[in-house]
Amino acid sequence: MTSIMVVSATRRTERDFREGSALGTSLRRLSFDARIRSRIAYQNGRGLPEVYNQAIRESQDSDVLVFVHDDVWIDDSFLADRLQDALLRYDVVGVAGNRRRQPRQPAWAFADMTLAWDDKAHLSGGVAHGAYPFGGVSYFGGMPADCELLDGVFLAARRAALSQARVEFDPRFGFHFYDMDFCRSARQAGLRLGTWPIALTHQSGGAFGSDAWQAAYGDYLAKWGD
């Protein structure tokens, strides 16, 4: 039986997370499935990479790690089955991504710093958005598909593959660009990335272009050089 650990961080208390957050509500709904457990950093003040790396190092009894934001509704009742199939094909899977990577690309979906969308021919996957579960779906392109970059809202990986390849999240990217950096590190290590059809709804549309995002972009370019 595949053992799945859902890893997330939240500023909420444990009670507030379980009763009031999108992810907490989703995990209660999925509690019928004994394959799914959770590891949540409550009242968290650390960057996501620190939380995620700790899970990679300490969750040896889990086959699959799911790194997901706390404002995500997992609409798919059969999450464990989806992931079991997806990770037979890929080492890391997401719900949206880009088949290519371009120099100085600032996000998986955008081609340049004007935040213009990349050509749809290169995009894959779909994500719903809204304040409630089963929101309106933003469909980007056919899936499954091999990808170079994946949206960090939801990343699932074979824990053994990450450990063997020594791939972790870089703590310098506390929130912005941690996913871009992680995908590049994974691809550099020879891991296979791809999208998979998994139904979820994200309450947020992101914070592209903010001052914090701009600063992280500078750090990202300083590290990777392009």
Side-chain angles (χ1 to χ4, degrees):
M1 179 175 72
T2 300
S3 174
I4 297 168
M5 182 69 75
V6 176
V7 183
S8 190
T10 183
R11 292 189 176 92
R12 298 172 182 251
T13 64
E14 180 175 358
R15 180 176 179 178
D16 189 27
F17 170 81
R18 294 190 181 282
E19 296 180 358
S21 74
L23 182 59
T25 302
S26 300
L27 290 172
R28 290 207 321 270
R29 179 170 172 264
L30 292 169
S31 62
F32 73 90
D33 195 330
R35 294 170 293 181
I36 300 174
R37 296 174 297 152
S38 62
R39 180 188 178 111
I40 311 298
Y42 303 107
Q43 297 177 282
N44 180 64
R46 296 179 292 165
L48 289 180
E50 293 183 55
V51 175
Y52 291 174
N53 288 341
Q54 187 175 2
I56 294 171
R57 297 166 190 160
E58 297 180 358
S59 301
Q60 290 90 347
D61 58 343
S62 298
D63 302 310
V64 176
L65 299 176
V66 177
F67 307 106
V68 59
H69 295 181
D70 69 338
D71 61 345
V72 167
W73 304 92
I74 300 176
D75 300 324
D76 203 323
S77 302
F78 306 106
L79 176 67
D81 300 285
R82 305 280 186 252
L83 292 177
Q84 190 164 284
D85 292 341
L87 293 167
L88 290 174
R89 177 167 171 176
Y90 297 111
D91 300 303
V92 181
V93 297
V95 293
N98 199 318
R99 295 176 171 89
R100 68 172 179 175
R101 179 180 56 79
Q102 302 181 83
R104 304 182 70 86
Q105 186 172 354
W108 70 270
F110 300 140
D112 54 46
M113 281 298 286
T114 67
L115 304 186
W117 283 81
D118 198 359
D119 191 299
K120 194 168 183 178
H122 304 293
L123 302 182
S124 170
V127 182
H129 292 91
Y132 302 99
F134 307 103
V137 177
S138 298
Y139 182 76
F140 307 112
M143 57 188 143
D146 296 356
C147 288
E148 292 294 321
L149 300 170
L150 296 170
D151 188 343
V153 67
F154 180 101
L155 294 168
R158 295 193 300 113
R159 191 201 61 79
L162 297 183
S163 296
Q164 290 167 9
R166 298 184 180 180
V167 171
E168 292 191 344
F169 295 85
D170 189 332
R172 83 184 75 179
F173 303 107
F175 185 77
H176 303 292
F177 285 89
Y178 75 90
D179 51 353
M180 294 277 286
D181 175 79
F182 175 77
C183 289
R184 291 191 67 167
S185 296
R187 290 294 296 129
Q188 189 176 69
L191 299 185
R192 301 162 300 169
L193 276 61
T195 49
W196 206 262
I198 298 170
L200 59 81
T201 299
H202 191 196
Q203 291 181 308
S204 169
F208 300 108
S210 67
D211 289 344
W213 183 86
Q214 296 272 4
Y217 180 60
D219 292 338
Y220 173 76
L221 292 182
K223 176 177 179 177
W224 291 100
D226 66 353

